[in-house]
Amino acid sequence: MDSLKKTPLYDTHLKYGAKMIEFAGFSMPVQYESILKEHEAVRNNAGLFDVSHMGEIIVEGRDSEKFINYMVTNDITKISANQAMYSPMCYQNGTTVDDLLVYKFSNEKYMLVVNASNIDKDYNWIDENKNGYNIVVKNISNEISELALQGPKSQEILQKMTEYNLDDMKYYHFDKINLDGVDCLISRSGYTGEDGFEIFLKNDYAQPMWEKILAVGEEFGIKPAGLGARDTLRFEAGLPLYGNELSENITPLEAGLGSFVKLEKDFIGRDALFKQKQEGLKRKIVGFEMADNGIPRHGYDVYAQGEKIGYVTTGYLSPTLNKNIGMALISSQFATIGNEINIIIRNKHYKAFVTSKNFYKKNYKK
């Protein structure tokens, strides 16, 4: 673990009794008390995550909007200042470099929030493609910490720490806010299927801010939460994880993210994705629910009618639904909801049925 990178909250995690694991080259907390209790805290009250391992890349200059819009599949010309947008970013062949959030400060300044495992790869990909554009690209990942406060009581907790009226902040919008005397960038967003906020601040302030939020949130039932609960929460909400539902071998269309792929504009990978859509998808990410009593796991083979048709991308016993569920990349001919499939667990066939990927739905503040 000594060779792993550490966030500014590493010592604080140890103080709170976290179990640390390697994730994307970082030593990160997978859980504190238990994944189940942290999961339930976020669904019912609030949880606080250290997501400082995520990457932040600034794109600035006259051609910023034009450049980013060419790099990503979504249409960022549709958002205003202080608004964020989710988008995949693709290679020429249509497979996925990463999925990221685009934060718009102005037409000439943006921040890209990228997955921890892809920071260097994304930066290099952006750098390789910037020729001809009047922009400056800067990786500020090592300067910024990020905390995620998630759950139905998140706003009540955060409101006690700022004079800014959080009722005014809509989902996928952000602002520069003074939080307990510290200047932060706060967005109403998250990765859990719940209402919540993501807080960007300078590294020096991360540890005291973490302690303050937990202290203020104590009366609301807040818990520090690790990567384990973060994964079960995002999975129940049908949100993709790069390396599972998206990868350099999987396109956004195969992942079911067609609504974030705007084929009417030009972007890297557009022609390949247009062709894939025209010809019809040969495979798709689907949800499934186990009929037999077995827990599916990432990488398990999926069969139907005696032949292998794909593999499990994510699988768990869902804490909220108390069901064994999963997502899988399978041949499109078997992807109809209600179809019977088989998950191979310890060399045995376990019956399951194809379902929607949206296992859990929550209403967000619009």
Side-chain angles (χ1 to χ4, degrees):
M1 296 284 272
D2 289 346
S3 63
L4 297 177
K5 291 183 275 189
K6 296 176 172 124
T7 76
L9 286 162
Y10 176 81
D11 290 334
T12 308
H13 297 317
L14 297 182
K15 171 186 161 185
Y16 279 83
K19 178 183 176 184
M20 308 298 286
I21 62 163
E22 187 279 330
F23 181 81
F26 285 81
S27 180
M28 296 294 293
V30 65
Q31 66 179 65
Y32 300 85
E33 192 175 352
S34 79
I35 292 174
L36 179 61
K37 287 182 178 178
E38 292 157 29
H39 181 109
E40 289 175 342
V42 175
R43 286 279 180 254
N44 300 313
N45 301 308
L48 183 63
F49 299 83
D50 175 18
V51 286
S52 303
H53 60 315
M54 299 289 282
E56 294 85 19
I57 297 170
I58 298 290
V59 178
E60 209 166 356
R62 191 179 65 210
D63 294 338
S64 295
E65 182 183 69
K66 182 181 176 184
F67 172 71
I68 294 170
N69 214 38
Y70 178 63
M71 294 300 295
V72 302
T73 65
N74 212 338
D75 187 356
I76 67 157
T77 66
K78 303 298 185 187
I79 58 174
S80 306
N82 287 51
Q83 196 171 354
M85 177 178 269
Y86 171 82
S87 182
M89 178 167 66
C90 290
Y91 294 108
Q92 293 286 5
N93 67 356
T95 64
T96 314
V97 180
D98 202 2
D99 63 332
L100 48 89
L101 284 175
V102 179
Y103 283 72
K104 178 175 181 174
F105 296 100
S106 71
N107 285 345
E108 297 189 4
K109 186 177 181 181
Y110 293 81
M111 179 172 73
L112 310 180
V113 180
V114 305
N115 284 300
S117 58
N118 293 333
I119 295 171
D120 292 339
K121 180 182 76 172
D122 288 3
Y123 177 80
N124 290 337
W125 178 248
I126 291 164
D127 193 56
E128 285 169 20
N129 286 283
K130 73 179 184 185
N131 290 343
Y133 292 92
N134 189 336
I135 56 166
V136 175
V137 181
K138 187 180 180 188
N139 180 6
I140 62 166
S141 305
N142 292 333
E143 304 167 27
I144 302 292
S145 292
E146 183 186 352
L147 308 180
L149 176 62
Q150 300 284 295
K153 296 184 180 174
S154 297
Q155 181 171 331
E156 289 178 82
I157 294 167
L158 215 56
Q159 194 63 73
K160 284 182 170 285
M161 299 173 61
T162 183
E163 294 180 1
Y164 184 101
N165 185 357
L166 293 169
D167 273 335
D168 294 338
M169 185 179 289
K170 296 177 181 177
Y171 189 55
Y172 265 57
H173 286 69
F174 67 93
D175 213 339
K176 291 178 180 176
I177 295 175
N178 187 284
L179 191 64
D180 196 46
V182 177
D183 290 331
C184 303
L185 188 151
I186 299 179
S187 68
R188 194 169 206 132
S189 56
Y191 193 50
T192 61
E194 298 294 336
D195 189 17
F197 301 87
E198 294 181 295
I199 303 161
F200 299 85
L201 68 173
K202 290 182 179 176
N203 290 337
D204 289 349
Y205 298 111
Q207 191 273 335
M209 187 63 72
W210 173 273
E211 298 280 11
K212 181 69 175 184
I213 293 172
L214 288 179
V216 171
E218 188 174 4
E219 65 177 293
F220 297 96
I222 195 172
K223 287 184 184 294
L227 294 180
R230 183 170 156 86
D231 199 39
T232 55
L233 289 157
R234 70 92 194 163
F235 161 65
E236 284 184 346
L239 300 172
L241 175 65
Y242 190 89
N244 292 42
E245 287 73 41
L246 282 168
S247 75
E248 58 190 18
N249 299 310
I250 302 172
T251 74
L253 298 182
E254 292 172 333
L257 299 174
S259 61
F260 305 104
V261 178
K262 307 303 183 187
L263 293 170
E264 63 274 13
K265 65 153 198 152
D266 191 26
F267 61 85
I268 296 176
R270 186 259 174 199
D271 291 349
L273 291 174
F274 180 81
K275 183 181 178 187
Q276 186 177 57
K277 186 174 183 180
Q278 290 293 104
E279 293 178 351
L281 296 173
K282 293 182 173 60
R283 54 184 195 163
K284 293 179 182 177
I285 296 280
V286 298
F288 66 86
E289 181 180 327
M290 299 298 297
D292 292 336
N293 189 24
I295 299 179
R297 298 293 187 199
H298 172 75
Y300 285 7
D301 287 341
V302 181
Y303 274 65
Q305 299 176 6
E307 63 177 282
K308 182 180 173 182
I309 61 165
Y311 64 94
V312 176
T313 57
T314 302
Y316 282 112
L317 167 60
S318 162
T320 303
L321 306 175
N322 196 31
K323 294 177 178 176
N324 291 324
I325 55 177
M327 288 190 273
L329 181 63
I330 65 171
S331 301
S332 295
Q333 68 194 86
F334 300 103
T336 306
I337 288 178
N339 270 5
E340 180 180 327
I341 57 176
N342 287 280
I343 313 300
I344 311 305
I345 305 174
R346 292 182 294 277
N347 297 319
K348 291 184 179 178
H349 287 242
Y350 285 72
K351 188 189 297 184
F353 291 96
V354 175
T355 66
S356 164
K357 297 192 299 290
N358 298 319
F359 304 107
Y360 174 84
K361 281 208 171 180
K362 188 78 174 179
N363 290 322
Y364 297 103
K365 183 181 178 68
K366 298 299 184 187

